[in-house]
Amino acid sequence: MRRRVFLVAGIVLVGLVLAVALVSLFWTPFPAADTTGGRLEGPGVHHLLGTDKLGRDLLTRLMIGARIAVAVGVGAVALGAVLGGVAGLLAAFANRWLDDTLAALLDILIAFPTLLLAMLVVAARGASLASAIVAIGLAMSAIVARLTRVLAKRVLAMDYVTAARTSGVSWPRIVVAHVLPNIWPTLAVNLALQFGLAVLAEASLSYLGLGPPPPNASWGRLLQEAQSTVLTAPVGAVAPGVLLVVLVVGVNLLADGLRDVADPTRRGHR
Amino acid sequence: MTRYLVRRAALLVGTLFLASIVLFVLLRLLPGDPANALLSVGATPDQVAAARHQIGTDRPLPAQFGHWLSQLATLHFGTSFVSSLPVGPEIVSRLAVTVPLTLSAFVLAVVVAVPVGFLAAHRSHTWYGALVGVVSQLGIAVPAFWLGLLLIWVFALRLRALPAGGFPPDGWAAPGEAVRALALPVVTVALVMAASLIRYVRSATLDVLGSDHLRTARALGSSFVGAMWRHGVRNAAVPVVSVLGIELATTFLGAVVIESVFALPGLGSMLVRGIAQHDYPVIQGVLFVSTLAVLVVGFLADVAQRLIDPRLRGRV
Amino acid sequence: MSLLSVSELSVWTADGRALVNGLSFSLPPGRRLGLIGESGSGKSLTTLAVTGLLPPALRASGSVLLDGTQVIGARNLDGVRGRVAAVVFQEPSTALDPLMRIGRQVAEPLRRHQGLRGAALRAAVAASLDEVALPARVAQAYPHEISGGQRQRAAIAMALACRPALLIADEPTTALDVTVQADVLALLDRLVAAHDMALLFVSHDLAVVGQVTDEVVVLSAGRAVSSGPLHEVLADPADDYTRSLVASARRLDAALDLSRDVGGAA
């Protein structure tokens, strides 16, 4: 029962942010680059959440930030899933020597935290939304690849796969009919968790000044800009952080809920 | 055991070598010529060539790699392309900030997470257990830099109890100030780490609490405390120790962001500067040292696990 | 005076379902009782309820008197467990601490219940292992280094080290290889007699129960459906479930006889 509550809560939280992100594509209270508001105004009638130090409407910037967060999350996870999934599947089928080398390489790549890898990529391509997605996506693909490899190998070792092979089923058919259906639940849960990590990684990148530049900036960037004025204008330093937490908690709850749906043996467990 | 140690140490060195190759290659894939960073705009091709020669990027790649490796062997990290200062000593002085930060945060996180996680598992059906669950869910979603920002706001700016950032120029020669400068960063990192550790401790404790061997001990007359102490602690430690290694490593490398929040002169800020300036020796040096630290921590965690769990000793 | 007196014992789940319903039986000192039933009949839960070891999600009601001490609702049973009743569980691979050597695990109850230390303790550990026909070197081994049968013997040694008045054996041979089952069963039989203990033996296997006990209680879906001396229950089953249990055992016997006549001895 409690599980169901969590899943619903997760969907609601994520849905809220998604909705805001979608709306921002069509409408925001002010144009993004508009700096006509007074500087560092508090919440008021014209600017519902106040303005930043250049006079831009905070609510608008938060909405755009939602859009960036969702875009990065989806983009990075999609990139990581495709690259990592393919790499992992190939590694699972590779012969012993090649597979061991790949596993060692993956472990090294994973030892570098996402943020550092992302920094290197952004340094190469310049700071932009696309760079952030590519950077974080590449880092994620190593993690996805390792997981896919482990899961696929486990399935390939099962008797029913051996049985399928001996009755002449081709490898591609085995992948589609046996491997993928068995690994996708665990993968899906993991990818949902990675979504949250991607959003946090992008926030860190932006905080360091390596993310999409203003005015279409992300929540991390907003926090970095608000740091110097937190005493006089706390809303700007609190609101983006709260939204980050809302999105990530929502996604994690969703992932937990998915986990219970995906693995029926866990139902009724603590 | 010694055979395992030797083999594991060899694996460590081998991985380090592999990592340095990956590092070297990754860096050279970055577009942008470091020689340009040294010169002003509108430099002539001759000047560019001279700059390249000066910093050594005109030599063939394998030669550059060999040169770097030989430097590493003598623990020389070369000199910065930009400042011409040796990289090694700067790394050492910055380690004096990053290492105490990481270790203190780690210890604090463990001290907090173990009792909280244990209690959350033991009293999982009460409001206390549920509260810990909620708090740790929030905790892993909070960006570390935001937490740092909030702590600065409350403790440094409003309460004026601690500095808002920076590190004393004398470093540890002024220990009181150094500690005050590290207080908020340490708490920030510790809280974030603890949020994650609590979940692992809770999970490991739940497993032990429901385990058959604990039930056997109690069925034969052992008290709950006695059984947990004699059997529970060791068994719960096994999965937690493996995670601790990874967490410590992640913290060490993730210090980049925290140093930015608190304006600390640590390895992280050195790395950010190096990346911005395409300063290969700096980037290589810092990443190499970080990788070494990560691998050593992993090695220690592996050894600790083998010491605790006899089931792992069969495999070499 | 009964050693174990169970009256209207029921075990409830959190949503009010009764997994054990109104069970009553008693066991005088030195006597043996078998609890027979299939999976899900509640027999293992009965042994947990009797020793106060039910998982937190389950609740027990009724009365269980263990040597005069009320178990249901008791706050602290540490003094009663082991001394009055000790348990041997079904799964030897998880019943022992995987990180601790066998010798140390056997020493623990010896130390607690017989107050032994030092050289006397070491000697007692050796004697305990010898009693269950385990070689002395097992004391230095970890559970994963010995076989399932050896692990179960170690568990028996640990239970006996408590010098309990009552030994509760919950399907002690079910998880073992068939070839090993008979040995462990014989060992149990012999030791229970040698130490003059009462025995509560739980199993789904009629033949196994028949070898070690004289009286049985048959459980089906949490209720006792028949009880009494074994030969009476077998000769004239009072209800359907017991009837089918006996009938299948007889069929197995008949099949074995037939194969013996036809194909020669096994």
Side-chain angles (χ1 to χ4, degrees):
Chain A
M1 220 34 244
R2 219 165 50 173
R3 295 282 157 202
R4 197 62 70 78
V5 168
F6 286 164
L7 183 55
V8 167
I11 295 179
V12 164
L13 290 175
V14 174
L16 266 174
V17 176
L18 261 180
V20 169
L22 281 174
V23 165
S24 82
L25 283 173
F26 307 107
W27 175 83
T28 55
F30 288 80
D34 190 289
T35 55
T36 57
R39 296 189 179 185
L40 292 178
E41 281 181 13
V45 171
H46 288 294
H47 299 273
L48 279 175
L49 288 174
T51 58
D52 69 7
K53 61 185 170 198
L54 289 184
R56 290 178 288 213
D57 176 47
L58 190 54
L59 181 57
T60 305
R61 299 202 76 197
L62 286 175
M63 289 175 70
I64 296 176
R67 196 168 78 208
I68 307 274
V70 170
V72 170
V74 169
V77 167
L79 181 60
V82 167
L83 275 182
V86 168
L89 277 177
L90 286 177
F93 281 97
N95 67 29
R96 176 83 184 273
W97 186 87
L98 186 59
D99 182 38
D100 281 346
T101 324
L102 274 171
L105 262 174
L106 281 177
D107 276 341
I108 295 178
L109 278 177
I110 290 172
F112 278 70
T114 308
L115 189 59
L116 283 190
L117 280 177
M119 278 170 67
L120 286 176
V121 172
V122 167
R125 304 182 79 251
S128 69
L129 180 58
S131 290
I133 293 179
V134 166
I136 300 174
L138 280 179
M140 303 237 129
S141 59
I143 301 172
V144 174
R146 182 167 71 172
L147 182 63
T148 312
R149 174 181 160 271
V150 167
L151 290 176
K153 287 186 81 158
R154 201 179 294 165
V155 171
L156 288 176
M158 295 266 158
D159 289 337
Y160 56 82
V161 168
T162 320
R165 278 299 283 166
T166 46
S167 38
V169 182
S170 68
W171 278 125
R173 186 112 185 84
I174 287 187
V175 167
V176 169
H178 292 290
V179 176
L180 287 179
N182 273 289
I183 68 177
W184 86 257
T186 316
L187 261 186
V189 170
N190 213 274
L191 287 175
L193 289 173
Q194 297 290 4
F195 184 97
L197 293 176
V199 168
L200 287 175
E202 191 282 324
S204 299
L205 265 184
S206 286
Y207 180 85
L208 292 174
L210 299 173
N216 293 325
S218 75
W219 292 328
R221 179 69 190 224
L222 292 184
L223 285 173
Q224 187 259 330
E225 290 176 10
Q227 180 163 0
S228 49
T229 54
V230 62
L231 203 49
T232 49
V235 176
V238 170
V242 168
L243 285 173
L244 271 170
V245 172
V246 163
L247 179 57
V248 176
V249 167
V251 166
N252 285 346
L253 287 178
L254 216 108
D256 274 347
L258 270 182
R259 186 181 291 150
D260 289 332
V261 166
D263 186 2
T265 61
R266 282 182 61 110
R267 279 196 215 127
H269 225 247
R270 51 177 146 85
Chain B
M1 190 65 168
T2 19
R3 232 181 41 188
Y4 169 74
L5 280 176
V6 167
R7 240 172 164 257
R8 192 66 182 75
L11 186 65
L12 192 151
V13 171
T15 314
L16 197 56
F17 181 72
L18 206 62
S20 48
I21 297 182
V22 169
L23 195 53
F24 186 84
V25 168
L26 269 183
L27 277 187
R28 296 301 183 280
L29 289 179
L30 291 184
D33 193 337
N36 284 327
L38 291 178
L39 306 165
S40 44
V41 176
T44 66
D46 281 340
Q47 285 173 315
V48 172
R52 280 208 198 114
H53 183 74
Q54 182 191 344
I55 58 181
T57 48
D58 58 345
R59 287 147 71 199
L61 281 183
Q64 290 188 45
F65 185 64
H67 178 64
W68 184 48
L69 274 189
S70 65
Q71 280 183 321
L72 279 182
T74 51
L75 285 181
H76 255 169
F77 290 99
T79 50
S80 157
F81 285 172
V82 174
S83 66
S84 297
L85 291 172
V87 172
E90 190 183 355
I91 290 183
V92 169
S93 75
R94 284 171 176 264
L95 276 175
V97 174
T98 304
V99 169
L101 170 61
T102 311
L103 286 180
S104 318
F106 178 73
V107 167
L108 183 58
V110 169
V111 163
V112 166
V114 167
V116 171
F118 172 80
L119 276 171
H122 191 35
R123 302 260 175 261
S124 58
H125 295 288
T126 66
W127 66 269
Y128 180 86
L131 180 67
V132 169
V134 168
V135 167
S136 78
Q137 269 279 22
L138 286 177
I140 58 173
V142 167
F145 63 85
W146 188 47
L147 183 60
L149 209 167
L150 293 176
L151 286 178
I152 291 179
W153 180 34
V154 171
F155 289 98
L157 297 178
R158 294 198 67 137
L159 295 181
R160 310 246 178 158
L162 291 164
F167 198 71
D170 299 329
W172 287 99
E177 285 184 40
V179 167
R180 287 187 76 225
L182 286 184
L184 284 181
V186 165
V187 169
T188 308
V189 175
L191 282 178
V192 170
M193 232 165 99
S196 167
L197 272 180
I198 285 175
R199 310 180 99 209
Y200 288 106
V201 172
R202 178 178 170 276
S203 164
T205 308
L206 277 175
D207 279 344
V208 165
L209 285 175
S211 68
D212 282 355
H213 61 83
L214 199 75
R215 185 179 63 178
T216 305
R218 300 228 56 208
L220 300 184
S222 175
S223 67
F224 176 72
V225 171
M228 281 304 284
W229 179 248
R230 271 187 299 270
H231 302 279
V233 169
R234 255 186 146 203
N235 276 280
V238 170
V240 172
V241 164
S242 65
V243 161
L244 280 181
I246 303 175
E247 289 284 317
L248 181 55
T250 313
T251 308
F252 188 79
L253 292 168
V256 172
V257 177
I258 292 297
E259 287 174 20
S260 188
V261 176
F262 292 94
L264 293 171
L267 277 187
S269 41
M270 186 178 175
L271 180 63
V272 174
R273 189 191 81 216
I275 291 181
Q277 296 174 329
H278 288 273
D279 197 342
Y280 292 169
V282 167
I283 305 177
Q284 273 165 202
V286 173
L287 285 181
F288 181 82
V289 168
S290 307
T291 312
L292 179 62
V294 168
L295 289 176
V296 166
V297 167
F299 173 77
L300 290 174
D302 267 358
V303 170
Q305 265 203 293
R306 279 182 85 101
L307 281 175
I308 302 179
D309 191 344
R311 289 169 296 187
L312 296 175
R313 290 184 208 158
R315 313 188 244 133
V316 179
Chain C
M1 220 290 267
S2 258
L3 188 50
L4 173 61
S5 219
V6 176
S7 175
E8 290 298 315
L9 171 67
S10 297
V11 175
W12 308 91
T13 62
D15 40 331
R17 230 170 1 118
L19 299 172
V20 173
N21 209 329
L23 186 58
S24 302
F25 63 86
S26 73
L27 190 58
R31 306 281 299 170
R32 301 183 180 197
L33 181 66
L35 216 56
I36 313 177
E38 58 189 5
S39 311
S41 57
K43 51 191 197 305
S44 288
L45 284 177
T46 305
T47 63
L48 291 178
V50 158
T51 45
L53 288 172
L54 283 174
L58 299 176
R59 203 178 40 88
S61 68
S63 158
V64 172
L65 284 172
L66 203 52
D67 198 25
T69 309
Q70 175 59 253
V71 169
I72 310 277
R75 317 281 333 268
N76 192 332
L77 291 166
D78 296 343
V80 167
R81 288 194 203 109
R83 182 182 62 84
V84 176
V87 187
V88 175
F89 292 100
Q90 173 176 353
E91 192 54 64
S93 56
T94 52
L96 302 176
D97 185 340
L99 307 184
M100 202 184 268
R101 295 182 208 268
I102 302 286
R104 267 189 76 186
Q105 298 197 50
V106 172
E108 206 181 299
L110 282 174
R111 168 188 290 229
R112 185 181 316 119
H113 294 281
Q114 296 185 39
L116 299 169
R117 299 280 184 276
L121 182 58
R122 278 193 296 275
V125 168
S128 277
L129 291 177
D130 187 50
E131 195 179 26
V132 294
L134 280 175
R137 58 176 170 77
V138 166
Q140 296 309 311
Y142 287 99
H144 68 277
E145 293 171 338
I146 59 177
S147 74
Q150 288 176 314
R151 286 195 281 262
Q152 199 62 308
R153 288 168 192 267
I156 295 173
M158 283 163 69
L160 290 179
C162 306
R163 293 285 177 263
L166 164 65
L167 182 67
I168 304 179
D170 186 0
E171 307 242 35
T173 55
T174 306
L176 302 176
D177 287 342
V178 172
T179 48
V180 173
Q181 278 183 14
D183 285 341
V184 172
L185 208 55
L187 179 72
L188 258 178
D189 191 15
R190 197 175 65 237
L191 290 175
V192 167
H195 289 276
D196 216 5
M197 299 186 285
L199 174 67
L200 179 63
F201 193 96
V202 174
S203 177
H204 64 279
D205 192 332
L206 195 54
V208 164
V209 171
Q211 283 183 49
V212 285
T213 64
D214 314 308
E215 288 194 37
V216 295
V217 169
V218 180
L219 280 180
S220 173
R223 287 177 200 275
V225 293
S226 42
S227 58
L230 182 59
H231 60 267
E232 277 178 28
V233 170
L234 289 182
D236 188 17
D239 67 292
D240 295 332
Y241 176 67
T242 318
R243 224 185 310 263
S244 65
L245 205 60
V246 173
S248 11
R250 287 236 170 83
R251 272 199 294 276
L252 181 61
D253 249 358
L256 287 174
D257 283 336
L258 201 60
S259 70
R260 216 176 290 135
D261 291 338
V262 170

